[in-house]
């Protein structure tokens, strides 16, 4: 596709359930970022992939959060035992190698009820 | 470590006036500084960026300046228009080897009053 695509655009889940958020980056982009954005706040770094490997996962808040990018393209952010505090907009961005423009997807709005 | 501070958190100007948003960073190895604009309900979009080997860059009404010695960079918007109203985020790209990440400031809500 022409841009970064995230699915679903909206996800409502019950507390304690498991969710998967998908990011399809721009073709050929090696770098992929996941961010979490709460209302009125800046994007909060979660994890960064360079190719298939997680180069930096220091932003994941706890072990309920996990992300994969098995073939160096599509990435999935997985959240186990969701809590109401996980409710936020989850943004994915991709860029070419080092220091080039990062393009964002439209985000997945996660609501945990 | 990477840390970006952005000021002010809110800024209100009259149409036609200039707006300036400032960011400071702590990692001297940072080498790429983009600015993003996020309109309500939309994704952040790059509006201008600057690399560490350049002191200033302009694109029509928007300019960014970088002071590497002082570790700060600023966004300047001249002749502001109501459609400039949005949240603006600065960011820095820092790291080493294959481990780089883009870290964002907390954002500035710019309101341009007609």
């Amino acid at each position: 596709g022409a841009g970064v695509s995230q699915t679903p655009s909206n996800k409502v889940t019950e507390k304690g359930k498991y969710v998967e958020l998908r990011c399809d980056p721009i073709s050929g982009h090696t770098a992929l970022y996941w961010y979490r954005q709460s209302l009125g706040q800046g994007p909060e770094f979660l994890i960064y992939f360079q190719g298939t490997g997680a180069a930096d996962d220091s932003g994941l808040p706890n072990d309920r959060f996990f992300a994969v990018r098995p073939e160096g393209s599509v990435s999935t952010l997985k959240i186990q035992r969701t809590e109401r505090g996980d409710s936020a907009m989850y943004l994915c961005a991709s860029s070419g190698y080092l220091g080039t423009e990062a393009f964002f997807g439209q985000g997945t709005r996660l609501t945990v009820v | 470590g990477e840390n970006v501070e952005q000021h002010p958190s809110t800024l209100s100007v009259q149409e036609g006036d200039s707006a300036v948003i400032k960011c400071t960073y702590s990692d001297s190895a940072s080498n790429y500084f983009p600015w993003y604009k996020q309109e309500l309900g939309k994704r952040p979009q790059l509006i201008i960026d600057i690399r560490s080997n350049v002191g200033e860059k302009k694109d029509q009404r928007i300019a960014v300046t970088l002071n590497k010695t002082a570790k700060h960079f600023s966004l300047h918007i001249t002749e502001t228009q109501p459609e400039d109203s949005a949240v603006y985020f600065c960011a820095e790209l820092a790291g080493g080897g294959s481990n780089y990440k883009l870290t964002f400031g907390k954002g500035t809500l710019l309101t341009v009053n007609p």
Side-chain angles (χ1 to χ4, degrees), chain B residues 41-101:
Chain B
K42 297 188 177 180
R43 72 190 79 184
Q45 292 197 307
L46 182 78
I47 54 171
I48 196 167
D49 56 13
I50 192 168
R51 301 185 188 282
S52 58
N53 59 347
V54 175
E56 183 177 5
K57 182 176 178 181
K58 287 185 178 180
D59 183 2
Q60 299 182 339
R61 297 186 297 109
I62 295 172
V64 56
T65 57
L66 172 64
N67 183 326
K68 287 207 71 179
T69 303
K71 294 183 188 172
H72 65 71
F73 55 112
S74 299
L75 178 70
H76 305 253
I77 306 174
T78 58
E79 301 171 26
T80 53
Q81 300 168 3
E83 51 266 39
D84 294 330
S85 297
V87 179
Y88 291 81
F89 296 99
C90 63
E92 64 161 349
L93 182 71
S98 62
N99 183 7
Y100 282 79
K101 69 182 182 188

Side-chain angles (χ1 to χ4, degrees), chain A residues 14-66:
Chain A
E14 292 181 346
K15 179 175 177 293
K17 297 290 188 182
Y18 167 82
V19 296
E20 289 190 353
L21 312 181
R22 176 188 168 106
C23 173
D24 198 342
I26 292 172
S27 178
H29 278 189
T30 56
L32 186 146
Y33 301 85
W34 281 101
Y35 292 90
R36 179 168 68 177
Q37 187 175 31
S38 300
L39 197 61
Q41 300 293 316
E44 174 194 1
F45 172 79
L46 296 177
I47 187 169
Y48 159 66
F49 287 90
Q50 185 60 248
T52 59
D56 187 340
D57 63 359
S58 62
L60 296 177
N62 51 60
D63 61 6
R64 296 187 297 105
F65 287 74
F66 188 70

Side-chain angles (χ1 to χ4, degrees), chain B residues 12-57:
Chain B
S12 182
V13 300
Q14 289 299 121
E15 183 177 359
D17 288 351
S18 295
V20 180
I21 304 170
K22 298 181 180 180
C23 287
T24 59
Y25 61 98
S26 56
D27 190 344
S28 57
S30 298
N31 55 21
Y32 175 66
F33 306 92
W35 284 89
Y36 284 81
K37 175 183 180 182
Q38 187 174 30
E39 297 175 345
L40 188 63
K42 297 188 177 180
R43 72 190 79 184
Q45 292 197 307
L46 182 78
I47 54 171
I48 196 167
D49 56 13
I50 192 168
R51 301 185 188 282
S52 58
N53 59 347
V54 175
E56 183 177 5
K57 182 176 178 181

